[in-house]
Amino acid sequence: MHAPLLQLQHINAHYGPIHVLKDLSLEVGAGEIVCLLGGNACGKSTTLKTILGLVTPSSGTIVFAGEPITGWSSSERIRRGIAVVPENRRLFGPLTVHENLLMGAYLRHDRRAIDEDLARIYARFPRLSERAGQPAQTLSGGEQQMLAVGRALMSRPKLLLLDEPSMGLAPQLVEQSFALLQMLSRQGVAVLVVEQNARVALQIAQRGYVLQTGRVVLEGAAAGLVANDQLRRAYLSRGSVIRFSPLGHGRAWRGHGRQSGERR
Amino acid sequence: MGDSLSHLPQQLANGLTLGAVYALIALGYSLVYGVLRLLNFAHGEVYMVGAFIGYGVLSLLDPALAAGLPGWLGLTAMLLAAMLGCGLLGALIERLVYRPLRHTHRLAPLLGALGIAFVLQHGVLLLASARHRAIHAELILPAALGFELGSVRLSAARLLVIGIALLLLAALSLLVYRTRMGRALRAIGADPEAAAMLGVPVERVVSQTFVLGSALAGAAGVLVGLVFTKVWHLMGVAAGLKGFTAAVLGGIGSLPGALLGGLLLGIAESVSTGVISPTYSDLIVFGVLIVALLVRPSGLFGKRAQPKV
């Protein structure tokens, strides 16, 4: 088998005194769907931020498309083909749908190709095309999800990272957006999806990793994980979920504290 | 009273000039607030520095203008120098004061801003003394030049101020609403972390925002010098406060709001000065602000509540 698209090798990451990722290694092959499972504050989001270059690991290497990218800036990584659909989607509410999509192509300058990609996304999501001139904050939850994925696709990624895409969506919409991921992977885009909803994620993923307090405790083919008893314990171990969105003006302190260790 | 009412049209015209200047200052407040949620209370001082740069350039050009250098060239030089100088100053303030303080305590940048305001006031005091310096606007524009419309007289200087202010406003809105940089600026205002996740160089765009807002303040300083023909080191205090008031009145963070707020404030001030009494004009202006905020707490163009996405 040829070398994987993305390799994390023995990554350690710290937020101040907190050791968030512990000797974490994982791989995503080209066009593969991989899910990263685990409860609250287990380091899933930090893993994505490390891949994107928003968190600097204290040790370990990241290899993407054959190049060691560990010291690269986020924008260099995005240019090379990594894109993210962040937790809570994080659209630019006052900007129009069209402008949100253009923001996804922020680092690109090939105007003609950008226009083609816009046309492709509008063709794929006619609802977005209908609402192109509307502020993103007026969209429904499902439309926002489409826009968040569309925005990420505008950078022409080889690897798409998704942080809890099922959160806040009705079951039907979850299914739709996971079907979309499958379609993308068939077109050659690799997908690394972070989920608490392990059942749904394992339905579309080929492989999965289970994190617990920053460590990979379980990995393997999705089919094997579904049947795994240990998995149930791993991802249900943390009880109820209280969320807050990190940073962002004035929103940071909703749902006090519970997850702060993971975010800071 | 009947006599002073006859001045109303003239005061409206004067208010328009004043309002255009307030609008330019208010835009700087709103731009920075819209992107960083930061009240840049050193903004009035940047405007003052702009006025002094304009004064300095005019003094330098004095002999050349006397020898026949066209006035519009002189004005262009004043504006460019003030906008450039203030733009740099704004970027410097952001880099040296606001950026290091950004992720500390909520009040730290505010106190930093007040500190910078004092540093600038006293820096200019040191360099230029406390004297009011006269701007010889007649070097640029003959004082007699102007329009008469019935009883209303609009001097060329005032028309020029309004014209240039409108031009700058138009350029700014093109920049903010029609360019890639403007899009990035608004995206950062909505969600800086999400913008960073798309590769937007957040710090650089923030820096550019300060350059823009400060350059507008610099232009406002030059324009005010032309109309009121004097500059001094404390002129930024009241102007900064009124620019801020205009921004709040319009809905802070909103650019059309800053424009409208500035014009309303300028007209209110001018009319209450001319028609009622100069002594009470500030009382009336800020009274209007308080009432307006009681009726519409988030300003004319402000959102009632920040929608969450």
Side-chain angles (χ1 to χ4, degrees), chain B residues 66-207:
Chain B
L69 182 78
W72 64 269
L73 264 180
L75 178 64
T76 311
M78 286 167 78
L79 278 173
L80 281 182
M83 291 178 77
L84 214 68
C86 288
L88 279 177
L89 179 63
L92 208 67
I93 293 173
E94 192 272 331
R95 186 70 193 83
L96 295 182
V97 182
Y98 294 140
R99 194 178 302 180
L101 292 178
R102 199 175 306 151
H103 298 293
T104 57
H105 192 274
R106 204 175 234 290
L107 289 177
L110 194 71
L111 293 178
L114 294 175
I116 282 291
F118 285 122
V119 167
L120 291 178
Q121 279 167 19
H122 290 263
V124 171
L125 176 65
L126 212 64
L127 287 173
S129 87
R131 260 188 320 126
H132 288 220
R133 305 279 177 155
I135 296 256
H136 298 290
E138 69 278 6
L139 288 171
I140 299 284
L141 282 167
L145 214 63
F147 277 91
E148 305 260 349
L149 219 119
S151 64
V152 180
R153 190 187 138 70
L154 260 178
S155 70
R158 283 182 182 275
L159 279 177
L160 199 70
V161 167
I162 297 173
I164 290 174
L166 287 180
L167 210 68
L168 288 172
L169 294 174
L172 181 76
S173 54
L174 275 182
L175 194 75
V176 170
Y177 291 105
R178 290 278 178 271
T179 68
R180 177 168 172 270
M181 184 219 153
R183 205 157 49 230
L185 188 153
R186 285 179 293 131
I188 293 172
D191 190 336
E193 211 195 6
M197 287 178 179
L198 298 175
V200 177
V202 175
E203 301 294 358
R204 196 195 312 159
V205 176
V206 164
S207 200

Side-chain angles (χ1 to χ4, degrees), chain B residues 58-75:
Chain B
L58 188 61
S59 312
L60 279 177
L61 290 180
D62 199 331
L65 286 164
L69 182 78
W72 64 269
L73 264 180
L75 178 64

